[in-house]
Amino acid sequence: MEFNKDLKVLDEYDVVVCGGGPSGIPAALAAARAGLRVLLIEATGQLGGVGTSAGVSHLLGARTQDQSRQVCVAGIFTEITEELARRGGAIHPLSIKHEKYSPHGWSAGLAEGVPFDPVQMTLLLDEKMLDAGVDILYFTQFVDVVVKDERITHVVAFNKSGLFSVPVKAVIDATGDGDVAARSGCTMVKGREEDGLMTPASLIFHVENVDQDATREYIEKHESNRFREIILELREKGEWTFPYEIMISVQLHEVGTMMINTTRICDVDGTDGRSISKGMMQGRREVNHLFNLLRTYFPGFENCKIRSVAPVLGIRETRRIVGDYVMTVADVATGNQFPDTIGFSGYGWDLPDPKRPSYQPMYEDQKTERKLYTPIPYRVLVPNPIRNVICPGRAISVERHVLGPLREQGPCYAMGQAAGVAASMVIRDNGAFQTVDTDELRAELRRLGAKVDWEPQPVAAN
């Protein structure tokens, strides 16, 4: 069916940022602070993306997972998390005791994150955008683009005001799914090469009134931080009907408040509206059943109550752009250094098998080792052939298992800040993201406090 409609045209913006998650937030702030006129459009009613709307209120990947706890992501990420911690809305990772069984995931590897209060985070992010002069349209969906001569001239969006278009000089695609890049004709791939399947989605929920001392006592006694033996017994009794075999809980900013990151919903395509809808309904059904099992069988959870169930699915993988360079598993395994590095990740391989949600192929099958940190080259953010769009976040140009260390919120902040600064250079020079001077970009990021050089500076835990 052909559909034609005259659209209202808004005033021109230098940059439109599509998506207000962990890559869109720093992108918008960096671009606005560089003097650009910036519009950020966000589908929900708050900023923070998966960290707030999807309930993943634990920022990972910004520090190494070893005893040194070196900083991998700084700049705007540090600015936001440290200010939130000063307000009492987050726990600074250096104040978390480094121990074998930390309540922040019951794992030393997960204790390097920043647990935070999503309500206080959204308030702080609103303040940051207002201070920087970023215009925001909440409850607004990206729809399409107008392209001329390999450049996006207009972004088409929709909200309660109807369909409208925005003239634009550059676009930052922070949708996580590469929506802008895909609809503008960029080269994309999705899922596994052999079958297109993607890693499972999750529906996160938060519980309160957990007796963490009782949970710790059980875990230490049984050397079991994922409760596999309880789950096995419940499966044999026919009560654990899920396709996953572990239970993951993470203390947030308050003792007794836990993020339950356990559900793994297979066969969800995060780019398909019907699939997402079915996944949400299945997720809520599983959350209800899982919550009842927690209260009945899991030590410390007997009197817990649900604080919130996320209104948005946590999607780990969908589309990826194909740029001039595709970062490989070998790059990560060997610690390949890049001259255009714009950030780092300290996180490990984490991309569960599409059909076996508790199985990690890179650990259990390929047993691929990796270095302490993973450099992120600027070039993996840049799609082809459109010249004025950039894609920070998990839609980057990588082999799919490279998403394991790079899809986390910490490195997404690093990519987003780099994209915002790069946009200022593209507009200043009337250029293209493909031809950005990465030496100049890195120098500016360095000046702004971002981490683009690896200088080992071990920091001991308090």
Side-chain angles (χ1 to χ4, degrees):
M1 183 186 76
E2 184 174 330
F3 177 78
N4 295 300
K5 187 176 179 65
D6 291 331
L7 301 184
K8 180 180 178 180
V9 180
L10 304 188
D11 291 340
E12 184 180 47
Y13 281 84
D14 294 317
V15 176
V16 172
V17 180
C18 297
S23 61
I25 293 160
L29 290 175
R33 290 171 178 176
L36 303 183
R37 189 177 186 214
V38 179
L39 173 66
L40 189 158
I41 61 175
E42 164 57 36
T44 70
Q46 61 187 11
L47 297 177
V50 293
T52 54
S53 294
V56 191
S57 305
H58 188 210
L59 304 174
L60 294 170
R63 288 179 180 267
T64 59
Q65 297 182 358
D66 69 330
Q67 293 287 339
S68 69
R69 311 178 82 176
Q70 298 174 79
V71 173
C72 296
V73 181
I76 289 174
F77 178 87
T78 299
E79 171 192 337
I80 289 172
T81 55
E82 292 195 349
E83 184 166 341
L84 194 60
R86 286 194 297 271
R87 296 183 180 192
I91 299 178
H92 195 289
L94 290 185
S95 69
I96 296 173
K97 184 179 179 181
H98 206 292
E99 53 190 332
K100 182 176 182 180
Y101 294 120
S102 166
H104 302 288
W106 306 109
S107 166
L110 292 178
E112 318 307 335
V114 181
F116 67 91
D117 175 6
V119 175
Q120 293 191 60
M121 174 66 94
T122 57
L123 289 171
L124 175 60
L125 294 176
D126 276 350
E127 292 175 18
K128 291 289 182 184
M129 295 297 167
L130 289 170
D131 290 344
V134 176
D135 288 344
I136 297 180
L137 286 174
Y138 285 131
F139 307 109
T140 300
Q141 290 277 355
F142 164 76
V143 175
D144 210 337
V145 292
V146 178
V147 175
K148 183 178 180 181
D149 298 329
E150 296 186 341
R151 302 185 78 90
I152 296 171
T153 62
H154 295 75
V155 168
V156 180
F158 172 82
N159 60 24
K160 291 294 285 186
S161 301
L163 282 164
F164 59 91
S165 67
V166 184
V168 67
K169 297 176 182 176
V171 182
I172 297 176
D173 181 352
T175 61
D177 301 310
D179 288 339
V180 181
R183 291 173 194 168
S184 62
C186 292
T187 305
M188 313 290 292
V189 293
K190 185 171 69 172
R192 290 197 304 204
E193 182 177 354
E194 62 267 33
D195 54 20
L197 292 180
M198 289 162 278
T199 196
S202 288
L203 185 61
I204 305 293
F205 66 108
H206 296 177
V207 296
E208 57 191 5
N209 201 35
V210 177
D211 183 349
Q212 290 181 203
D213 291 336
T215 306
R216 179 190 291 275
E217 181 180 354
Y218 176 88
I219 288 173
E220 291 180 346
K221 178 180 179 180
H222 294 269
E223 292 283 317
S224 176
N225 64 342
R226 292 294 182 256
F227 306 96
R228 291 179 184 270
E229 64 289 335
I230 293 177
I231 292 170
L232 178 60
E233 182 179 341
L234 291 174
R235 188 181 294 285
E236 290 174 349
K237 293 166 59 177
E239 294 191 56
W240 188 274
T241 57
F242 312 120
Y244 33 91
E245 290 84 35
I246 58 176
M247 199 282 279
I248 301 175
S249 62
V250 178
Q251 183 203 311
L252 297 179
H253 69 296
E254 295 177 335
V255 174
T257 300
M258 307 290 276
M259 176 182 82
I260 309 301
N261 183 7
T262 297
T263 65
R264 297 291 186 271
I265 308 164
C266 298
D267 301 316
V268 173
D269 181 345
T271 67
D272 182 277
R274 188 178 295 275
S275 181
I276 296 170
S277 299
K278 291 174 65 177
M280 279 297 301
M281 289 187 284
Q282 179 180 336
R284 279 191 283 261
R285 186 167 59 248
E286 291 191 12
V287 164
N288 180 65
H289 184 42
L290 177 59
F291 174 68
N292 290 328
L293 292 176
L294 289 179
R295 286 175 56 93
T296 305
Y297 296 107
F298 287 75
F301 289 85
E302 295 85 353
N303 298 308
C304 72
K305 299 177 181 178
I306 289 181
R307 172 176 282 193
S308 64
V309 178
V312 174
L313 279 176
I315 302 292
R316 294 175 173 84
E317 174 192 12
T318 54
R319 303 186 189 99
R320 306 187 309 280
I321 61 172
V322 180
D324 287 340
Y325 183 75
V326 178
M327 188 174 174
T328 67
V329 167
D331 288 329
V332 179
T334 61
N336 192 13
Q337 303 297 305
F338 300 98
D340 58 338
T341 293
I342 47 81
F344 299 91
S345 172
Y347 204 64
W349 304 114
D350 185 358
L351 201 70
D353 185 88
K355 290 295 188 181
R356 293 176 290 173
S358 298
Y359 179 74
Q360 289 280 4
M362 296 303 290
Y363 283 119
E364 302 176 57
D365 183 9
Q366 301 187 43
K367 301 185 185 303
T368 305
E369 298 291 334
R370 66 172 191 87
K371 300 299 182 181
L372 184 63
Y373 61 92
T374 301
I376 308 169
Y378 167 79
R379 69 194 94 160
V380 302
L381 281 62
V382 183
N384 280 320
I386 304 301
R387 299 174 57 77
N388 64 336
V389 64
I390 189 168
C391 298
R394 60 175 169 78
I396 51 177
S397 178
V398 297
E399 292 181 347
R400 69 178 295 269
H401 280 295
V402 177
L403 289 179
L406 297 193
R407 67 180 176 81
E408 297 298 330
Q409 295 181 72
C412 284
Y413 265 85
M415 290 185 267
Q417 184 168 3
V421 174
S424 70
M425 298 168 62
V426 167
I427 290 170
R428 178 198 66 194
D429 300 335
N430 193 28
F433 283 107
Q434 289 87 344
T435 58
V436 162
D437 182 336
T438 54
D439 288 339
E440 181 186 356
L441 172 62
R442 281 165 43 82
E444 180 62 11
L445 288 169
R446 199 179 289 119
R447 186 187 72 81
L448 294 170
K451 188 173 181 68
V452 298
D453 306 295
W454 192 261
E455 300 171 356
Q457 295 176 330
V459 180
N462 291 345

